[in-house]
Amino acid sequence: MIPAWIEQLRGDIDADLARRLASAPGRLGDAMRYATLGAGKRLRPAIVIAACEAAGGSRSDAMAPAAAVELLHAYTLVHDDLPALDDDDERRGRPTVHRAFDEALAILAGDALLTAAFGQLAELGDRAADAVRVLARRAGADELIAGQVDDLAASAEPSFDAIESIHRRKTGALFAAAAELGAIAARAGADARDALARWGMAFGVAFQFADDAADGDFPGTAKARTARAAELVAEAAALAERFGPRGAPLAELARWIGARV
């Protein structure tokens, strides 16, 4: 159910992203579109949509913040792949942006994607400032970027607590932002926003544990990882169930990721 749901949403998300990026000029625009519209599940924008609908909003309400989250995610991948950071030559089966274009243009494309991400939130009108605060906090020096800094500085065999701390900031923070932005788009109250943000964090950390398991990373923590992921999945499913039938996709997402750890 979940893979088919994600694939159906991906078509709508990609069409919207292509429209939003159509006016980006020249090789810079080509690099931005290359970074954003290639392979990938579009899971983060799908979560914006699911959270918005869970909180009583519509898909159309969610499209601007969904685009913002995916554009910001694309920027992080472009910059993470650079020689100064992870120095990756390939992502999702094709050359990374700095290999397909060049390093300087990759840096500038990432910068442009980050700027464009915040620009999309202007469409939320009276909710825009609130949405900008959430995305800036989650993607900034206290969370996402701090997680990347700690990841670069981590030892070859970090403790399980250190791994989860990095995952909460580097991965969980943007999933938490996605879910809370969906709530903001739906004009949800404080309780719903808090519940959805906590859903996003629990899901995001479990998602990263699933990636670790698939990649064979940190094998010495496999038992602890499995146990902790089960706790996070149960937490996320319980939070989703607060929203009744509208929260069913979020509950299913949590169980789907739990099965992959």
Side-chain angles (χ1 to χ4, degrees):
M1 172 184 172
I2 288 298
W5 176 83
I6 292 171
E7 188 59 29
Q8 184 272 318
L9 280 182
R10 180 184 167 175
D12 292 344
I13 291 164
D14 278 357
D16 184 66
L17 288 167
R19 176 182 64 81
R20 292 172 188 273
L21 292 173
S23 62
R27 291 187 71 242
L28 175 63
D30 291 342
M32 292 169 70
R33 288 182 285 271
Y34 182 91
T36 305
L37 297 173
K41 294 183 178 68
R42 310 292 184 261
L43 187 54
R44 291 157 188 82
I47 284 169
V48 178
I49 293 168
C52 182
E53 292 177 342
S58 68
R59 185 169 300 185
S60 61
D61 294 329
M63 294 309 291
V69 167
E70 188 64 9
L71 292 171
L72 192 143
H73 177 55
Y75 128 78
T76 67
L77 299 183
V78 173
H79 280 195
D80 282 358
D81 289 338
L82 289 167
L85 294 175
D86 293 347
D87 194 17
D88 287 326
D89 293 333
E90 186 176 287
R91 178 175 289 278
R92 296 168 176 166
R94 63 178 189 167
T96 51
V97 177
H98 68 276
R99 292 301 183 192
F101 295 86
D102 58 57
E103 187 175 346
L105 192 61
I107 292 169
L108 293 171
D111 292 345
L113 288 166
L114 174 60
T115 306
F118 284 95
Q120 310 313 306
L121 299 177
E123 292 182 24
L124 291 175
D126 62 347
R127 295 156 289 164
D130 205 7
V132 166
R133 276 192 293 270
V134 168
L135 190 57
R137 174 170 56 86
R138 294 295 192 179
D142 290 334
E143 295 197 58
L144 191 155
I145 294 175
Q148 177 66 64
V149 170
D150 283 356
D151 191 18
L152 290 170
S155 66
E157 295 185 14
S159 69
F160 183 76
D161 287 346
I163 293 168
E164 181 166 347
S165 176
I166 291 168
H167 289 355
R168 290 183 68 82
R169 288 171 294 154
K170 188 175 175 182
T171 303
L174 191 53
F175 280 107
E180 188 170 1
L181 288 174
I184 291 170
R187 299 185 183 275
D191 288 348
R193 282 181 54 172
D194 177 69
L196 287 166
R198 288 191 289 127
W199 181 94
M201 181 60 75
F203 176 88
V205 177
F207 173 89
Q208 191 59 57
F209 282 147
D211 267 8
D212 290 348
D215 294 342
D217 293 338
F218 314 118
T221 68
K223 184 175 180 180
R225 175 175 66 212
T226 300
R228 179 62 177 142
E231 294 174 353
L232 292 164
V233 166
E235 178 186 354
L239 287 164
E241 286 162 4
R242 294 187 187 185
F243 296 90
R246 294 196 308 267
L250 295 176
E252 288 297 320
L253 275 164
R255 297 185 184 102
W256 169 72
I257 208 67
R260 297 176 58 209
V261 180

